[in-house]
Amino acid sequence: QVQLVESGGGLVQAGGSLRLSCAVSGHIFEVTAMDWYRQTEGNERELVAAITYGGNTNYGNSVKGRFTISRDNAKNTIYLQMNSLKPEDTAVYYCNARIKEHSDSRYVLFWGQGTRVTVSS
């Protein structure tokens, strides 16, 4: 069964750093674009960062210059390096991935379970 397993969340003081990881587990054929989103209570999920298989990246305006998304294709894993964290970065962070389970299947969007990041002031 395909799963996305996130890790790295926690409590950090403002100005600090955290590194999130998201690994695809299970038998798959191919992974393409992967993203990080975040969500606070009562709000919709917002895009934090996106990365293609080839490494092209895109960032939400609120995190540009502070967060860096990267990936290791050999490990089917993406990372989110978060620096200069602010209290407003507090949220549950989710990763997703577009995955083909078999060579003849369609791409399906999978989501991780989320990891909580809390930034104290």
Side-chain angles (χ1 to χ4, degrees), residues 4-66:
L4 271 62
V5 181
E6 297 142 337
S7 60
L11 174 64
V12 64
Q13 288 189 331
S17 298
L18 280 175
R19 188 189 194 215
L20 305 183
S21 299
C22 170
V24 178
S25 67
H27 180 74
I28 64 170
F29 176 74
E30 190 175 71
V31 182
T32 58
M34 299 180 73
D35 310 320
W36 285 101
Y37 276 74
R38 66 187 181 187
Q39 187 173 27
T40 54
E41 192 169 345
N43 293 308
E44 294 184 356
R45 290 185 186 182
E46 66 166 336
L47 178 68
V48 176
I51 188 165
T52 66
Y53 183 86
N56 292 320
T57 59
N58 187 36
Y59 295 92
N61 288 333
S62 62
V63 306
K64 283 181 181 177
R66 299 188 298 123

Side-chain angles (χ1 to χ4, degrees), residues 2 80 90 103:
V2 177
L80 186 68
T90 296
S103 61

Side-chain angles (χ1 to χ4, degrees), residues 101-118:
E101 293 187 66
H102 309 286
S103 61
D104 59 349
S105 60
R106 300 171 62 182
Y107 283 103
V108 175
L109 184 66
F110 287 85
W111 287 89
Q113 81 286 355
T115 184
R116 183 171 296 276
V117 171
T118 303

Side-chain angles (χ1 to χ4, degrees), residues 55-115:
N56 292 320
T57 59
N58 187 36
Y59 295 92
N61 288 333
S62 62
V63 306
K64 283 181 181 177
R66 299 188 298 123
F67 291 11
T68 302
I69 188 171
S70 60
R71 69 188 289 164
D72 183 336
N73 289 331
K75 297 180 179 179
N76 289 327
T77 299
I78 61 170
Y79 307 95
L80 186 68
Q81 178 65 44
M82 305 186 294
N83 298 329
S84 303
L85 282 161
K86 305 174 182 180
E88 51 263 44
D89 294 317
T90 296
V92 178
Y93 285 71
Y94 298 89
C95 67
N96 68 27
R98 291 145 189 85
I99 295 173
K100 265 192 178 184
E101 293 187 66
H102 309 286
S103 61
D104 59 349
S105 60
R106 300 171 62 182
Y107 283 103
V108 175
L109 184 66
F110 287 85
W111 287 89
Q113 81 286 355
T115 184

